Amino acid sequence: MELIVRVALVDDDPLVRAGLRMILGGDPLLEIVGEAGDGREALILIAQKDPDVVLMDIRMPIMDGLAATRALHDRGDRTRVIVLTTFDTDDMVLTALRHGAAGFLLKDTPPVDLVAAVRRVANGEPMLSPSVTAQLIAVVTRAPDAHRRRAAERLTRLTEREQEVAVAIGRGLTNAQIGAELYMSVPTVKTHTGSIFTKLGVTNRVQIARYVHDAEHS
């Protein structure tokens, strides 16, 4: 039996929250546990409700979504953040990922894809819209040499098997797909992934992918 994914909605526009509530509320496996109109309210809400996933707008009064995402990351909160925005500039994408966001989607993402993204992120998978992925790759390919070297050095901390798993994560494969490709069980993939998180000092798979992509262009 599949578990219910508990979701919080954070946006300063009540109409946007209503739209998200309508989209996500139609899925029986998603439960909206609360809403907030700015980042500060979001931090309180998340501490109280402990949602699995939060859809976080970037541009909000009092505390914006990037600051709230960083605060969640700094306090070690387990809630996974999907940043939702109308814009997808390089700086926003990279800042969100550095602050621990597990996903970055545009607000015009089709409803079916939005629901799928929430489920994937709840299961520990990263989720980036196609345009964001393209921008991220473009940024990585023009990363300074020193940045690339640092990424490559970080990956040398991993065992050979962990490096194989990290590369597979960088390609966007799920745990099941990695297990099938590398001939290991899903629990073993999860064990390697946990070790990679610790050795690289990251909190989500998107950040692992960043290291892999940086190192591959060194």
Side-chain angles (χ1 to χ4, degrees):
M1 181 178 178
E2 294 188 70
L3 297 177
I4 301 295
V5 177
R6 305 174 75 253
V7 184
L9 308 177
V10 182
D11 196 295
D12 62 324
D13 188 338
L15 291 179
V16 171
R17 297 202 305 270
L20 293 173
R21 193 186 320 120
M22 184 177 299
I23 292 171
L24 302 180
D27 190 306
L29 294 180
L30 301 181
E31 177 188 1
I32 308 301
V33 298
E35 301 178 18
D38 63 66
R40 188 177 299 172
E41 288 182 3
L43 295 178
I44 296 172
L45 171 67
I46 292 168
Q48 293 175 340
K49 299 294 186 179
D50 191 29
D52 301 302
V53 177
V54 56
L55 292 178
M56 182 85 73
D57 185 26
I58 284 185
R59 298 183 183 279
M60 295 183 292
I62 303 177
M63 176 185 283
D64 65 28
L66 294 179
T69 299
R70 180 170 187 172
L72 290 172
H73 173 69
D74 290 346
R75 76 186 190 188
D77 201 289
R78 74 171 195 90
T79 298
R80 300 181 184 278
V81 177
I82 298 177
V83 173
L84 268 182
T85 182
T86 309
F87 310 95
D88 61 347
T89 63
D90 291 354
D91 287 346
M92 283 187 178
V93 174
L94 292 177
T95 299
L97 298 181
R98 289 190 184 109
H99 290 353
F104 195 111
L105 297 176
L106 298 181
K107 287 185 177 180
D108 61 0
T109 298
V112 65
D113 293 338
L114 183 59
V115 170
V118 171
R119 289 177 174 173
R120 282 191 60 177
V121 168
N123 287 327
E125 305 292 337
M127 192 66 220
L128 299 176
S129 66
S131 64
V132 169
T133 301
Q135 287 198 37
L136 181 58
I137 291 173
V139 170
V140 167
T141 57
R142 62 176 183 263
D145 289 341
H147 183 62
R148 297 172 185 173
R149 286 196 297 270
R150 282 196 298 272
E153 185 277 328
R154 281 287 188 95
L155 291 181
T156 62
R157 302 176 186 179
L158 308 180
T159 66
E160 183 176 348
R161 203 58 164 158
E162 289 167 353
Q163 289 181 17
E164 292 175 344
V165 172
V167 169
I169 290 174
R171 289 165 49 206
L173 300 186
T174 65
N175 287 338
Q177 291 170 330
I178 294 172
E181 185 170 295
L182 298 181
Y183 303 102
M184 61 177 69
S185 68
V186 170
T188 300
V189 174
K190 291 181 178 180
T191 297
H192 284 311
T193 302
S195 180
I196 293 169
F197 276 28
T198 300
K199 291 181 179 180
L200 295 184
V202 299
T203 58
N204 61 58
R205 296 165 77 97
V206 173
Q207 292 170 319
I208 293 175
R210 279 185 50 226
Y211 276 118
V212 171
H213 291 153
D214 283 358
E216 286 178 345
H217 290 88
S218 62

